[in-house]
Amino acid sequence: MILTFIEERKGALVDTSLEALTAGRRLARASGLPLAALLIGADLERHLPKLREFGAERAILVESDKLRAYSPAAYTKALVQAIKARSPKVVLASATALGKELLGRAAARLDLGLATGCTELSFQDGRMKITRAVWGGILFAEVELLSEPRLLTLAPHAFPAEPEPAPNNRLEVERLEVPLEEADLKLVVRELLEAVRKGVSLTEAEVVVAGGRGVGSEEGFKKLEELAALFGGAVGATRIAVNNGWRPAEEQIGQTGVRVAPKLYFACGISGAVQHMVGCKDAKIIVAINKDPQAPIFARADYGIVGDLHEVVPALIEEIKRLKGRG
Amino acid sequence: MKIVVCLKRVLDTQERVEIAPDGKRLVSTGLDYVMNTHDECAVEEAIRIKEAKGGTVTVLSLGPSGATETIREAIAMGADEGILLELEGDEEAWGPKSTASALAQALKGLEFDLVFFGLESGDGSHHQVGLAVAEALGLPAVDGVKKIDFQDGKILVRRGIELGEEVYELQPPAVLTLVDGMNRPRHPSLRGIMLAKRKEIKTVKAAPREEPLRLIQLRKPPERAGGEILGEGKGAVPKLLEKLREAGLV
Ligand SMILES: Cc1cc2nc3c(=O)[nH]c(=O)nc-3n(C[C@H](O)[C@H](O)[C@H](O)COP(=O)(O)OP(=O)(O)OC[C@H]3O[C@@H](n4cnc5c(N)ncnc54)[C@H](O)[C@@H]3O)c2cc1C
Ligand SMILES: Nc1ncnc2c1ncn2[C@@H]1O[C@H](COP(=O)(O)O)[C@@H](O)[C@H]1O
């Protein structure tokens, strides 16, 4: 079987788990193996319709009141037990904080290989081809897993989530008892601090205005904020802008920061280093404003303006305001 | 607090990323090695804890003999001791399994309250060595830590998740993997650099085990094609707006 770990947060299935389930379904259909979904937690039955919608043929539920709050050791135990009990050929999870942690621990506990951050999967002549992101996403590696089951985490948004019920639309539900001892529950989440949303979040924004060293100061970013606000967008930064203390670390875009895929990305005073560009390469349109005509960003942007951003950005703001006033 | 930080040296790729003809490594000529960014923050965090609460910081790195330089950088920042697990043979034979086994083995011989890792290595990006070491040592671990607080003898750590942050309360000994951005690593002082130069780095030989994850080949992602330079200075703004209007963005 192909076993997909499905994550639940606050009573709903995590979107990227449905991507993993879709990827699992593709592998299952290509290999003729059944598709199973593993859920760990409490009150899990409410998720069965969604699993059916995405073509799971079996649901394995590990339910306990003790699993209501996330505990790394207890959840690992549940996953390891499910793998031992069902001997799947492949185990998949989305590379969320939780998915990465659980598969990493299970791989160690079962002494199995693990391919993290996978971006492409396929079965060819009975062999599984795996591509994963390495060097923080600036390169891809084609790899092979020599141990079985093959453990994989999938890079979020690398695979689409597409519903497609199983041919006979049947979902068998089975429950797995996992005895939990005190030692398994010693470390539990004590508190969940939800991110306070200041306007639209960077990863969801349709327009991102990013600034780099060329912005020059914390105050310099005020104009970028103003431009972002005109589009209802968000502000991002390069590592240099973050390291200089001009912007918070959460706003760093790139290899060691977040990845964004907005409709429009402004790169202001950004040279366009590969480590930055992996974070924004999926933007529909990139506009670069840089005073150096030789800056590599111009070779990677759709539109470029050569000039001082402290002149160009305010002019852009004025022009948009004027258009809005007229419209 | 006695803290051990596991750190890796990685190629400083910057602008030039070239795959070697064998497809399995990068061309390293002309490139420097640097401390893995997440690990650098882990070193900084350990030193800050030592400065606030006393204790020691030991850095542990697996790599070729050249990795002693990276260990010395950590000592120059303020770490006390360094240990090199000197790998024999080809560095490419080492994957996350071998690395975790060797580090766990070495840690069994050390005294510590906390072991710090980076979230992931800049080259292999496996995100599994720290977790595997925690499993091998049977220690609790929190993955992806952004903040560590000491409160009434307790250790409270926050880790980033998609929704926000999770808070855990920990008892040492424990393993933490730390993320870049949680602090701004210091530059070594001149005195630190002099001190690190003279420091003896303990070296132990290490041999790899079989790796279940095999690299077939590296490849570059397709690059975005360059577009159009619309002009210079603010005079180019109307042209840009025209383009954005065509795309339905304004
Ligand atoms: C392992 C690793 C991970 C990394 N991760 C990341 C990451 O996640 N995100 C990231 O961003 N970087 C990352 N980096 C750093 C990356 O390599 C670059 O150093 C960084 O992105 C450069 O930032 P920058 O463009 O702001 O600065 P610079 O490269 O210094 O470029 C500044 C640009 O601003 C222009 N400029 C200056 N003044 C003006 C002005 N007045 N008007 C217009 N233009 C002006 C200059 O011409 C120049 O092109 C990483 C590096 C490594 C080694
Ligand atoms: N060769 C190594 N020597 C010491 N620590 C390492 C080594 N490789 C990985 N690590 C540690 O494990 C973390 C995760 O690495 P990885 O699992 O390869 O992404 C790194 O941030 C380091 O803290």
Side-chain angles (χ1 to χ4, degrees):
Chain A
M1 86 172 39
I2 308 283
L3 183 67
T4 310
F5 168 72
I6 301 292
E7 179 176 344
E8 179 216 58
R9 286 277 184 188
K10 299 178 70 192
L13 295 186
V14 168
D15 287 347
T16 57
S17 280
L18 297 174
E19 296 174 4
L21 194 54
T22 307
R25 188 182 70 224
R26 298 240 157 94
L27 288 180
R29 303 290 187 261
S31 61
L33 296 167
L35 176 66
L38 171 69
L39 278 137
I40 304 171
D43 308 327
L44 298 173
E45 273 193 5
R46 54 183 155 175
H47 303 305
L48 295 178
K50 208 57 188 203
L51 299 181
R52 191 189 302 269
E53 200 185 312
F54 276 78
E57 294 154 282
R58 199 174 299 178
I60 303 174
L61 309 183
V62 183
E63 268 186 314
S64 162
D65 249 355
K66 292 178 183 160
L67 294 167
R68 224 171 257 284
Y70 174 57
S71 143
Y75 272 57
T76 304
K77 195 174 193 181
L79 173 61
V80 165
Q81 198 128 323
I83 294 173
K84 281 187 179 159
R86 293 290 160 263
S87 312
K89 297 274 184 217
V90 179
V91 182
L92 295 171
S94 173
T96 59
L98 202 147
K100 288 190 278 197
E101 175 167 69
L102 286 185
L103 266 75
R105 284 170 159 274
R109 219 171 269 192
L110 295 165
D111 197 18
L112 293 169
L114 163 65
T116 55
C118 299
T119 55
E120 285 168 53
L121 298 178
S122 65
F123 260 121
Q124 255 174 14
D125 324 316
R127 283 179 72 179
M128 193 167 171
K129 251 185 84 183
I130 305 166
T131 304
R132 54 184 299 267
V134 293
W135 287 91
I138 61 181
L139 291 176
F140 290 120
E142 283 167 22
V143 298
E144 212 176 4
L145 276 171
L146 305 176
S147 53
E148 206 178 85
R150 296 186 180 88
L151 268 43
L152 311 158
T153 64
L154 308 187
H157 310 308
F159 298 84
E162 286 163 359
E164 187 191 307
N168 57 8
N169 203 20
R170 269 194 48 177
L171 178 67
E172 270 175 53
V173 181
E174 89 178 79
R175 279 161 208 284
L176 194 69
E177 288 298 325
V178 177
L180 295 172
E181 288 144 36
E182 210 174 306
D184 300 316
L185 297 160
K186 242 171 103 179
L187 188 69
V188 281
V189 174
R190 217 177 84 148
E191 204 182 339
L192 179 67
L193 306 168
E194 284 189 53
V196 244
R197 288 268 169 102
K198 284 180 292 182
V200 57
S201 81
L202 191 53
T203 47
E204 284 161 15
E206 293 199 338
V207 177
V208 171
V209 181
R213 195 202 303 267
V215 177
S217 65
E218 193 178 340
E219 296 76 54
F221 269 93
K222 291 257 160 64
K223 281 285 169 199
L224 271 57
E225 281 177 359
E226 199 179 331
L227 181 59
L230 284 176
F231 286 100
V235 170
T238 65
R239 184 157 93 183
I240 291 189
V242 169
N243 280 352
N244 285 342
W246 303 338
R247 301 303 294 184
E250 291 79 46
E251 287 181 9
Q252 182 172 316
I253 290 169
Q255 178 177 342
T256 40
V258 293
R259 315 274 152 112
V260 299
K263 286 187 176 151
L264 178 58
Y265 189 86
F266 286 99
C268 311
I270 292 176
S271 60
V274 274
Q275 293 88 354
H276 180 76
M277 296 312 287
V278 290
C280 65
K281 66 176 169 40
D282 294 326
K284 281 240 168 58
I285 293 181
I286 297 180
V287 175
I289 303 166
N290 195 305
K291 66 178 182 190
D292 173 10
Q294 302 302 324
I297 185 81
F298 287 124
R300 293 164 182 164
D302 300 276
Y303 301 117
I305 295 181
V306 180
D308 185 347
L309 69 97
H310 300 294
E311 243 178 57
V312 177
V313 172
L316 189 56
I317 290 170
E318 285 322 305
E319 195 61 22
I320 293 172
K321 277 188 180 160
R322 203 174 59 81
L323 285 175
K324 281 198 168 177
R326 218 175 45 189
Chain B
M1 278 286 137
K2 288 199 170 98
I3 304 177
V4 180
V5 185
C6 292
L7 59 86
K8 186 178 192 182
R9 62 162 213 179
V10 295
L11 269 183
D12 186 5
T13 46
Q14 294 302 338
E15 188 52 30
R16 220 198 61 206
V17 184
E18 229 181 285
I19 298 170
D22 73 355
K24 296 195 194 260
R25 63 193 84 210
L26 294 188
V27 175
S28 60
T29 36
L31 298 183
D32 291 329
Y33 282 91
V34 290
M35 204 183 298
N36 184 34
T37 53
H38 296 284
D39 305 358
E40 196 179 354
C41 288
V43 171
E44 173 65 31
E45 197 67 19
I47 294 169
R48 287 189 193 183
I49 293 170
K50 176 179 91 165
E51 285 167 350
K53 312 191 67 70
T56 57
V57 176
T58 302
V59 296
L60 176 61
S61 186
L62 173 104
S65 60
T68 41
E69 288 320 302
T70 315
I71 293 176
R72 282 187 206 284
E73 278 171 39
I75 293 172
M77 285 168 74
D80 302 276
E81 301 288 336
I83 303 168
L84 173 71
L85 302 180
E86 191 180 350
L87 57 82
E88 292 178 327
D90 188 3
E91 198 168 350
E92 310 304 317
W94 286 78
K97 285 274 177 209
S98 299
T99 304
S101 302
L103 292 174
Q105 191 59 36
L107 283 162
K108 280 182 188 154
L110 298 174
E111 250 182 72
F112 56 80
D113 299 299
L114 296 173
V115 186
F116 287 178
F117 288 84
L119 183 77
E120 60 176 44
S121 51
D123 45 9
S125 309
H126 295 291
H127 193 144
Q128 52 177 294
V129 167
L131 292 165
V133 169
E135 283 286 330
L137 299 177
L139 293 176
V142 181
D143 191 38
V145 171
K146 291 168 85 174
K147 198 164 188 298
I148 305 174
D149 285 312
F150 292 85
Q151 262 177 34
D152 323 315
K154 287 184 217 138
I155 307 178
L156 294 179
V157 300
R158 288 190 191 184
R159 77 150 178 165
I161 60 163
E162 290 70 25
L163 273 181
E165 289 173 3
E166 286 175 344
V167 185
Y168 293 87
E169 186 184 320
L170 270 182
Q171 303 286 347
V175 168
L176 302 178
T177 77
L178 276 51
V179 297
D180 179 28
M182 76 181 296
N183 57 40
R184 262 189 278 153
R186 70 194 65 192
H187 294 295
S189 64
L190 211 55
R191 197 177 148 266
I193 294 170
M194 298 310 290
L195 220 75
K197 265 197 184 140
R198 289 195 301 268
K199 192 86 193 176
E200 199 198 319
I201 310 293
K202 200 178 143 197
T203 301
V204 186
K205 299 264 186 221
R209 45 159 284 187
E210 195 90 0
E211 283 292 340
L213 181 70
R214 205 171 65 88
L215 174 65
I216 300 169
Q217 65 172 36
L218 292 171
R219 67 181 154 83
K220 281 193 176 187
E223 278 250 25
R224 271 186 91 98
E228 195 184 334
I229 302 281
L230 299 176
E232 280 182 31
K234 56 185 177 194
V237 165
K239 214 164 166 189
L240 173 61
L241 280 168
E242 205 181 292
K243 294 285 183 194
L244 297 183
R245 204 169 24 227
E246 278 168 22
L249 290 163
V250 280

